[in-house]
Amino acid sequence: MPWTIEEEQEAQAVYREMALTHFPGDVKLGLNLGFYRTFAVPSIARVLAGTGKLTKQPRVRAKATGELMYTLIEHGLDTGEGEAAVQKLIRLHSGLAVSNEDFVYVLAAFCITPVRWIDTHGWRRTNQTEKRATHTFYSLLAERMGITDVPDSFEEFTAWMDAFEVRTFRSTAEGHSLVTATRSLLSDRMPRLLSPLANGIFTCLLGERLRRTFELPRPRLLVRSVVSAALWGRRLRMRRAHTRGLASPHPHGDPSEEPVGTGTAN
């Protein structure tokens, strides 16, 4: 889909504001959760586990790729910094045995999962302008990386992703090894008081489709209740803060700090 330069710039500005000002913590967590979804695709999990980078040094690899993604978000795709980040992503993924369709799915997971998380747990739902901007941002990234056949709208991309997951999600040894290696990237952020419940909370955050795919035990009712109450309370606190104009642009710290990445960065 062709965009004018003005439309591209406006979309990137709207997405930047979503990720860095309106929903910094939600986008960051959503990107993490989106990446976990790729572990359930056997062809992607095989490549990620095969490189050994994500399983051996998950925190280092996640931080490196997270920094690339947030460089694109903060600076834009067509600045000097953005173009350098795109070229590094191309180099990191060149030669990997991943199909174009798999690359489209990775973009879908990063595009759609944060929006779904925000619409369910954020202080407000995203609007159509924000959804269009998010879709445009990842479509532009696909274009610059040579990835083709991205659906033409956020709604079409969402439907495509759901159908792809139904068709491809499977439990594999590689997927399990990736989940095991990277679980601490989310669970280590939890308050020490909740550490005994960390595994169950992690599983709750993944959601039912991933839980069943990875064959993880269903969390106890106590854990599900704690997670539900915590997310409800967080939503109310964030809503009050934004209503009063008190929310910090980065209420959860530096948004580029250790989000889960593709595991291929050096």
Side-chain angles (χ1 to χ4, degrees):
M1 177 185 296
W3 295 272
T4 66
I5 293 176
E6 290 75 17
E7 288 171 335
E8 291 185 5
Q9 292 175 341
E10 180 180 2
Q12 292 183 66
V14 170
Y15 184 60
R16 182 180 306 116
E17 190 170 24
M18 281 181 60
L20 302 183
T21 302
H22 292 307
F23 308 105
D26 295 289
V27 170
K28 181 179 175 182
L29 179 57
L31 290 172
N32 278 266
L33 296 176
F35 188 59
Y36 276 104
R37 303 191 81 79
T38 69
F39 299 172
V41 180
S43 55
I44 299 175
R46 187 164 51 250
V47 170
L48 291 174
T51 66
K53 296 177 179 179
L54 190 56
T55 53
K56 293 176 182 176
Q57 294 181 302
R59 196 169 299 279
V60 172
R61 305 310 174 186
K63 183 176 178 64
T65 306
E67 287 174 349
L68 284 178
M69 286 303 300
Y70 273 90
T71 294
L72 296 174
I73 294 170
E74 292 181 23
H75 296 281
L77 298 168
D78 299 315
T79 62
E81 296 90 342
E83 289 177 350
V86 169
Q87 289 305 310
K88 187 165 186 178
L89 284 173
I90 292 172
R91 290 194 303 273
L92 292 170
H93 293 89
S94 64
L96 296 179
V98 179
S99 68
N100 183 79
E101 186 178 47
D102 287 342
F103 277 125
V104 173
Y105 176 70
V106 174
L107 290 176
F110 286 166
C111 173
I112 294 157
T113 306
V115 172
R116 281 181 160 170
W117 175 268
I118 292 167
D119 287 349
T120 304
H121 302 294
W123 64 275
R124 66 166 173 83
R125 296 176 62 86
T126 58
N127 56 47
Q128 286 303 310
T129 298
E130 290 166 334
K131 287 183 172 69
R132 283 195 299 271
T134 303
H135 170 265
T136 299
F137 178 88
Y138 285 98
S139 297
L140 292 171
L141 178 57
E143 183 179 273
R144 284 151 179 76
M145 292 184 66
I147 300 169
T148 61
D149 300 324
V150 175
D152 288 336
S153 70
F154 184 88
E155 291 72 22
E156 291 176 30
F157 210 6
T158 300
W160 181 92
M161 186 179 88
D162 288 340
F164 181 90
E165 291 184 348
V166 169
R167 176 164 54 88
T168 63
F169 270 18
R170 298 290 184 276
S171 175
T172 64
E174 293 88 352
H176 281 277
S177 70
L178 292 166
V179 171
T180 300
T182 59
R183 183 192 301 263
S184 64
L185 295 175
L186 286 183
S187 60
D188 285 355
R189 298 175 184 274
M190 298 175 192
R192 187 177 299 275
L193 181 64
L194 296 178
S195 57
L197 307 178
N199 286 340
I201 294 172
F202 171 80
T203 303
C204 285
L205 293 177
L206 290 183
E208 272 299 294
R209 181 176 287 180
L210 280 186
R211 184 191 72 78
R212 291 194 300 268
T213 299
F214 295 137
E215 300 176 339
L216 299 173
R218 192 182 189 208
R220 290 176 296 157
L221 177 60
L222 170 63
V223 177
R224 301 199 306 273
S225 299
V226 167
V227 172
S228 179
L231 291 173
W232 180 79
R234 174 184 180 274
R235 182 168 60 247
L236 289 183
R237 289 194 302 274
M238 293 295 291
R239 185 176 297 163
R240 290 195 198 101
H242 280 273
T243 299
R244 298 171 182 173
L246 300 178
S248 165
H250 302 298
H252 296 269
D254 180 358
S256 66
E257 181 187 2
E258 296 183 6
V260 172
T262 62
T264 58
N266 292 317

